Amino acid sequence: ETLSNRYPYSCYKQVFVDETDEEHKSYATMSILSVNLLHSAVIVDQVYNTRTVMAQAIAEQFFGCFISMQNWSDMWLNKGISQYLCGLYCKKCFGNNEYRYWVQSMLQDVVKYEEQFGGIVLDPSQPPAPLPVGSNSVQPYNLKHNEEKFYFSIRNLHTLSPMYILALHKKACLVMRMLEHRIGQELLLQVFNKQLSLAANAAQQKIGSGLWGHMLISTNVFTKAI
């Protein structure tokens, strides 16, 4: 209901597996979930977590499986968009208070991580944006200096800490909320729907048509669309 585009695949399956290392993992037309998400109808508390995880898995079918990242440094986009859409579902399903608590929890986790370990760079492949006019007194951001705060390089996916990746995903969702406040929810959803429409059209074309690039999303493409 949130997106105007239909589900991009012909079917969708959920497979519940015992002793999974993650609560969910999304693949095209299928999501693998932990059996710990299953619960009795009389257990109300588990409903919040189970529905949130399932909504996240479905959102990743659109942004994550159908529309993939162009480079690993664009990973934050698919995660941020899918978590943002998941948040809209939680807001509609559980109410505004639960949604605000969910956002506040993410914000506290990101702030705590950045205060303890250092700043999170969503797309380390690009130089930082220039400072606005009148901010000459502020020291320019130095990506190399920020990297020195970590024991690992933030330029390579294989050297990223799991804690860093988790905090990056949360910050990506918060950035989507910032965009929502800046341009409005309706315009932001229009951007998502446009990307899905282009990807759906490209998926129906032959590989030599040159349109399959629309099934990939990057920071540059998303910035231009905004």
Side-chain angles (χ1 to χ4, degrees):
E1 296 179 2
T2 303
L3 298 173
S4 60
N5 287 268
R6 299 180 60 183
Y7 179 69
Y9 301 110
S10 59
C11 62
Y12 177 65
K13 299 175 287 293
Q14 290 181 332
V15 181
F16 292 87
V17 181
D18 190 19
E19 297 184 1
T20 57
D21 57 339
E22 298 181 20
E23 284 188 322
H24 81 282
K25 199 68 176 178
S26 297
Y27 303 92
T29 73
M30 181 183 71
S31 296
I32 297 179
L33 302 102
S34 171
V35 294
N36 296 330
L37 296 173
L38 299 175
H39 61 90
S40 171
V42 298
I43 303 177
V44 181
D45 295 343
Q46 182 62 30
V47 174
Y48 294 92
N49 183 42
T50 298
R51 289 193 179 183
T52 300
V53 173
M54 288 184 174
Q56 174 70 25
I58 294 176
E60 290 180 1
Q61 292 290 311
F62 292 88
F63 291 93
C65 296
F66 187 62
I67 297 182
S68 183
M69 56 185 176
Q70 185 169 358
N71 301 299
W72 79 263
S73 55
D74 303 314
M75 169 183 61
W76 72 275
L77 269 173
N78 281 330
K79 278 294 182 180
I81 295 174
S82 60
Q83 287 185 97
Y84 172 78
L85 295 174
C86 174
L88 294 182
Y89 168 80
C90 294
K91 183 178 182 179
K92 181 178 180 180
C93 187
F94 304 133
N96 190 51
N97 289 339
E98 180 68 22
Y99 174 69
R100 294 178 65 180
Y101 172 76
W102 178 69
V103 173
Q104 181 67 17
S105 299
M106 280 198 302
L107 180 60
Q108 290 178 347
D109 292 341
V110 172
V111 171
K112 181 179 179 181
Y113 182 90
E114 291 192 328
E115 287 181 343
Q116 183 176 359
F117 299 105
I120 299 172
V121 182
L122 295 180
D123 187 356
S125 66
Q126 299 190 21
L131 294 174
V133 179
S135 303
N136 296 330
S137 59
V138 181
Q139 292 294 329
Y141 179 82
N142 192 331
L143 178 60
K144 184 176 181 181
H145 176 70
N146 185 63
E147 282 191 83
E148 295 175 354
K149 298 180 180 179
F150 298 100
Y151 293 105
F152 49 87
S153 173
I154 61 175
R155 295 177 180 269
N156 195 315
L157 178 63
H158 301 289
T159 58
L160 289 180
S161 163
M163 292 177 59
Y164 183 91
I165 294 178
L166 182 61
L168 183 144
H169 292 169
K170 293 180 179 180
K171 187 172 184 178
C173 182
L174 295 174
V175 169
M176 292 300 162
R177 275 185 45 83
M178 291 174 60
L179 290 174
E180 177 192 22
H181 292 162
R182 178 65 64 89
I183 67 175
Q185 179 178 321
E186 183 178 354
L187 291 178
L188 185 59
L189 291 178
Q190 286 182 10
V191 174
F192 298 160
N193 287 320
K194 180 181 178 181
Q195 297 298 320
L196 287 171
S197 298
L198 292 174
N201 180 57
Q204 299 174 1
Q205 307 300 323
K206 295 182 179 180
I207 189 172
S209 62
L211 296 177
W212 278 25
H214 291 156
M215 301 182 70
L216 303 174
I217 191 170
S218 65
T219 304
N220 290 331
V221 171
F222 184 73
T223 303
K224 293 178 181 178
I226 292 292

